[in-house]
Amino acid sequence: MLIFENFVKNNRKEFVAKVKDIANFLQVEPNWLMAIMYNESTLDPSIVNSIGATGLIQFLPSTAISLGTTVEELRNMSNIVQLEFVKKYFAPYRGKINSWMDLYLATFYPRALGENSNFVIGGEVSQSRAELIAKQNKFFDLNNDGVITVADFKLSLQKRFKDMKGIIADKLVEAKKFSIKNPALSVGALLVLIYIGVKTTSRIIKS
């Protein structure tokens, strides 16, 4: 059973099977994907936030268009159909994701994937962009210096999950790259998170 599986309102069996298939394709843990989709949308494919980001991983309008659809179309898709666009979004990062934080970084700001801990998110474009991203996502600006580094982002994620009510693993394992040939790895990397009511309210344009 995957974490947050009970929060899938429709097509649960088919949805879970498809998540597992996508995870195998991406070479990641299916629970990593479930945790991120739950944190982004509470697994509601029709949810829309204040800036128009929509669906399971909160696709921005520009992101939806780059994937060959629109947020309006995504909002009206079944959860099963929308998962195809989740797969399409993450496909370019296949083989590059070594942890649940990497997968979340690919969701939040993929340009930073693989960068060192001092990399400033948005700083590769301009200082003003970095500051805008930090302003829109204050939770990740741990030291309130007006920018978000990769280190800030990862530490903030650890805090977010540790602060969740319920049960979590003693340690979120930064596992080595997932291997479908080594099913035992999934036990060590399992994110045992039980949490109700997290909805992302601010997003940035993915680069």
Side-chain angles (χ1 to χ4, degrees), residues 35 79 86 117 132 146 154 170 196:
N79 55 358
V86 172
S117 61
L132 175 62
K154 291 185 175 182
D170 290 337
I196 299 174

Side-chain angles (χ1 to χ4, degrees), residues 42-108:
T42 60
L43 293 166
D44 180 351
S46 64
I47 198 167
V48 181
N49 75 7
S50 60
I51 62 171
T54 301
L56 294 170
I57 59 170
Q58 292 290 272
F59 298 93
L60 286 161
S62 57
T63 305
I65 290 170
S66 73
L67 296 173
T69 186
T70 66
V71 288
E72 290 79 12
E73 289 175 346
L74 286 166
R75 187 164 57 247
N76 291 304
M77 290 176 186
S78 71
N79 55 358
I80 304 301
V81 174
Q82 197 179 117
L83 276 176
E84 283 297 324
F85 288 92
V86 172
K87 179 180 180 180
K88 189 174 182 179
Y89 173 78
F90 284 120
Y93 313 112
R94 182 174 185 259
K96 301 176 183 179
I97 297 168
N98 299 305
S99 70
W100 69 277
M101 287 188 180
D102 280 351
L103 188 62
Y104 217 131
L105 194 57
T107 311
F108 181 76

Side-chain angles (χ1 to χ4, degrees), residues 15-162:
F15 184 89
V16 169
K18 195 169 186 68
V19 167
K20 290 178 179 178
D21 286 344
I22 292 171
N24 278 339
F25 168 76
L26 296 174
Q27 300 176 342
V28 303
E29 277 287 339
N31 284 299
W32 297 354
L33 190 54
M34 287 292 285
I36 289 167
M37 289 191 295
Y38 182 81
N39 197 50
E40 289 292 303
S41 65
T42 60
L43 293 166
D44 180 351
S46 64
I47 198 167
V48 181
N49 75 7
S50 60
I51 62 171
T54 301
L56 294 170
I57 59 170
Q58 292 290 272
F59 298 93
L60 286 161
S62 57
T63 305
I65 290 170
S66 73
L67 296 173
T69 186
T70 66
V71 288
E72 290 79 12
E73 289 175 346
L74 286 166
R75 187 164 57 247
N76 291 304
M77 290 176 186
S78 71
N79 55 358
I80 304 301
V81 174
Q82 197 179 117
L83 276 176
E84 283 297 324
F85 288 92
V86 172
K87 179 180 180 180
K88 189 174 182 179
Y89 173 78
F90 284 120
Y93 313 112
R94 182 174 185 259
K96 301 176 183 179
I97 297 168
N98 299 305
S99 70
W100 69 277
M101 287 188 180
D102 280 351
L103 188 62
Y104 217 131
L105 194 57
T107 311
F108 181 76
Y109 199 80
R111 170 63 181 80
L113 191 63
E115 296 289 352
N116 64 43
S117 61
N118 295 320
F119 179 84
V120 175
I121 291 174
E124 81 289 354
V125 177
S126 67
Q127 181 67 19
S128 60
R129 178 169 172 79
E131 291 171 355
L132 175 62
I133 291 169
K135 183 178 179 180
Q136 291 175 333
N137 299 273
K138 292 181 179 179
F139 176 84
F140 295 115
D141 184 9
L142 287 179
N143 57 5
N144 295 310
D145 64 351
V147 297
I148 301 168
T149 64
V150 168
D152 290 334
F153 178 79
K154 291 185 175 182
L155 287 172
S156 298
L157 279 184
Q158 289 177 330
K159 182 179 185 302
R160 181 188 292 270
F161 285 117
K162 286 179 181 178

Side-chain angles (χ1 to χ4, degrees), residues 133-204:
I133 291 169
K135 183 178 179 180
Q136 291 175 333
N137 299 273
K138 292 181 179 179
F139 176 84
F140 295 115
D141 184 9
L142 287 179
N143 57 5
N144 295 310
D145 64 351
V147 297
I148 301 168
T149 64
V150 168
D152 290 334
F153 178 79
K154 291 185 175 182
L155 287 172
S156 298
L157 279 184
Q158 289 177 330
K159 182 179 185 302
R160 181 188 292 270
F161 285 117
K162 286 179 181 178
D163 285 350
M164 284 181 174
K165 297 176 182 177
I167 303 169
I168 62 173
D170 290 337
K171 184 177 181 180
L172 294 178
V173 178
E174 288 287 341
K176 293 184 182 297
K177 188 173 296 184
F178 173 72
S179 170
I180 59 176
K181 296 180 180 179
N182 184 10
L185 182 59
S186 63
V187 176
L190 179 65
L191 304 178
V192 188
L193 305 171
I194 301 176
Y195 176 63
I196 299 174
V198 177
K199 294 182 180 179
T200 300
T201 57
S202 64
R203 298 283 291 165
I204 58 176

